Amino acid sequence: MLNPLWLNTFCTLVDIGHFTHTAEKLFMTQPGVSQHIKKLELACGYDLLKREGKSVELTEQGRLVYNYAYQQQRDAATLVEALSFDDPYKGLCKFACSGALALSLYPEFINLQKIHPDLVTHIEVAPNSKILDEIQRGQIDIGIVTHQPTPNLFRSEEISKEPLCLVLPKHHKNTVITWDALLALGLIKHPDAEHYLSLYFDLCQDVALEKGNVNEIPVTSYINQLSQILLPIAQGIGFTVLPQSAIDAFPYKQDLHIHQPTTPVLESLFLVQKRNRDLPKRYQTLIQKLKETLR
């Protein structure tokens, strides 16, 4: 790497065109200026200047070095300006969450961008493990997961609890939901179905369901597209468990029946970022919108 002090002396000399005046501007001696130029030429391996008395003219190699040095100065100035400019309503925010949460959060982020057009959100839909991995590797800055991660790697805050819902076809509205009824319907399986089912059965305190074995339930259908999981149920086929946010986003809610458990089943939502990572101010704007929406 070329010495930036030598480059600065070189550029100043080229701009002024005179050794003595350059020395005066840089508070150096004239031999000191000459020494910087000589060292720079040795480092480059070429003559950079044609000397005519105390005046100078650039060689072709000197012109290239001069353009390089000034680009370096411009880049440094741009960097310093960027470091001092932390606008709470401008910049890119990289965020990850489950597909169910994305259905409710993304429209709110778009509304936020209508107010602050320069605040851009990048949303990744991913499971807990991938969210934490991408935060750790710096690909995502903040995320929402459903379990509290290890504190030596992450900073986390519980920001909400979301209900989990056992969803059945509408014609089950006035019937008692039993284990045999679920077996007869069969599961509309999705990537998180087993996790949600196990949590629901463990916490609902319904005698008819809490002793159920998830592995015994036959699978009626499988789909990994969140927006389509509830379609067969709305048409009378199968059942599943999903967060409330996924049901709220479904356009045919009137064709569903949500089982009312003895005790509501709530899943904690944790806002997570990398430990000891200071985020730009724009993330506070996004986090405020997150908390308002999930509240």
Side-chain angles (χ1 to χ4, degrees):
M1 181 177 177
L2 297 177
N3 188 312
L5 185 59
W6 301 343
L7 288 171
N8 181 60
T9 302
F10 173 71
C11 289
T12 305
L13 176 60
V14 173
D15 291 341
I16 293 176
H18 195 280
F19 275 88
T20 301
H21 295 163
T22 297
E24 291 173 353
K25 180 172 183 178
L26 296 178
F27 303 100
M28 297 174 63
T29 64
Q30 187 174 323
V33 172
S34 298
Q35 188 178 42
H36 279 189
I37 301 304
K38 183 177 181 180
K39 288 180 177 180
L40 182 60
E41 289 180 324
L42 287 172
C44 292
Y46 295 94
D47 290 335
L48 304 179
L49 298 171
K50 293 179 180 178
R51 295 161 178 80
E52 298 180 2
K54 294 186 177 180
S55 299
V56 294
E57 291 291 338
L58 285 171
T59 65
E60 181 60 21
Q61 290 81 4
R63 182 183 63 80
L64 293 174
V65 172
Y66 178 82
N67 291 338
Y68 165 81
Y70 258 95
Q71 185 60 51
Q72 294 290 99
Q73 292 179 1
R74 286 192 291 270
D75 289 346
T78 300
L79 175 60
V80 170
E81 182 180 2
L83 292 174
S84 64
F85 187 73
D86 191 6
D87 192 325
Y89 306 114
K90 185 176 182 179
L92 176 65
C93 292
K94 294 183 291 182
F95 168 75
C97 65
S98 68
L101 280 176
L103 288 174
S104 58
L105 292 177
Y106 187 56
E108 295 300 323
F109 290 167
I110 295 301
N111 289 335
L112 187 63
Q113 192 170 354
K114 288 180 182 178
I115 302 171
H116 307 293
D118 294 325
L119 186 65
V120 179
T121 51
H122 171 111
I123 299 182
E124 288 285 340
V125 171
N128 285 347
S129 58
K130 186 177 180 183
I131 292 172
L132 296 176
D133 180 60
E134 292 190 348
I135 290 175
Q136 188 63 24
R137 290 190 287 119
Q139 295 181 337
I140 292 294
D141 292 320
I142 61 173
I144 293 179
V145 297
T146 55
H147 65 266
Q148 191 166 22
T150 175
N152 63 325
L153 294 177
F154 301 96
R155 186 190 311 170
S156 63
E157 171 192 2
E158 184 176 336
I159 58 171
S160 183
K161 290 182 182 292
E162 183 172 31
L164 289 182
C165 300
L166 177 62
V167 191
L168 304 101
K170 184 179 180 179
H171 63 261
H172 284 269
K173 183 176 182 179
N174 296 317
T175 61
V176 177
I177 306 304
T178 65
W179 180 247
D180 288 339
L182 296 184
L183 291 176
L185 277 170
L187 175 65
I188 305 299
K189 191 174 181 181
H190 54 84
D192 293 316
E194 292 178 353
H195 165 70
Y196 289 153
L197 275 173
S198 296
L199 188 60
Y200 193 92
F201 292 160
D202 287 344
L203 301 180
C204 69
Q205 295 189 12
D206 285 9
V207 176
L209 302 177
E210 63 183 358
K211 295 181 181 179
N213 186 341
V214 173
N215 297 321
E216 295 177 358
I217 302 175
V219 175
T220 298
S221 181
Y222 174 86
I223 179 72
N224 66 352
Q225 293 295 319
L226 180 65
S227 61
Q228 300 183 59
I229 293 171
L230 294 172
L231 283 176
I233 302 174
Q235 297 181 42
I237 301 171
F239 80 96
T240 198
V241 176
L242 281 173
Q244 181 69 53
S245 54
I247 297 162
D248 291 342
F250 186 63
Y252 309 111
K253 293 189 291 291
Q254 70 277 6
D255 295 323
L256 304 174
H257 169 59
I258 310 303
H259 174 252
Q260 299 299 316
T262 303
T263 299
V265 179
L266 302 176
E267 185 174 48
S268 294
L269 301 178
F270 295 92
L271 180 66
V272 181
Q273 68 180 78
K274 193 172 183 179
R275 185 183 177 189
N276 299 325
R277 169 84 190 278
D278 291 327
L279 296 174
K281 291 180 181 177
R282 61 183 178 272
Y283 278 95
Q284 291 306 314
T285 303
L286 189 72
I287 289 170
Q288 181 179 352
K289 174 56 69 174
L290 279 172
K291 290 181 177 180
E292 290 174 357
T293 303
L294 295 176
R295 191 181 301 124

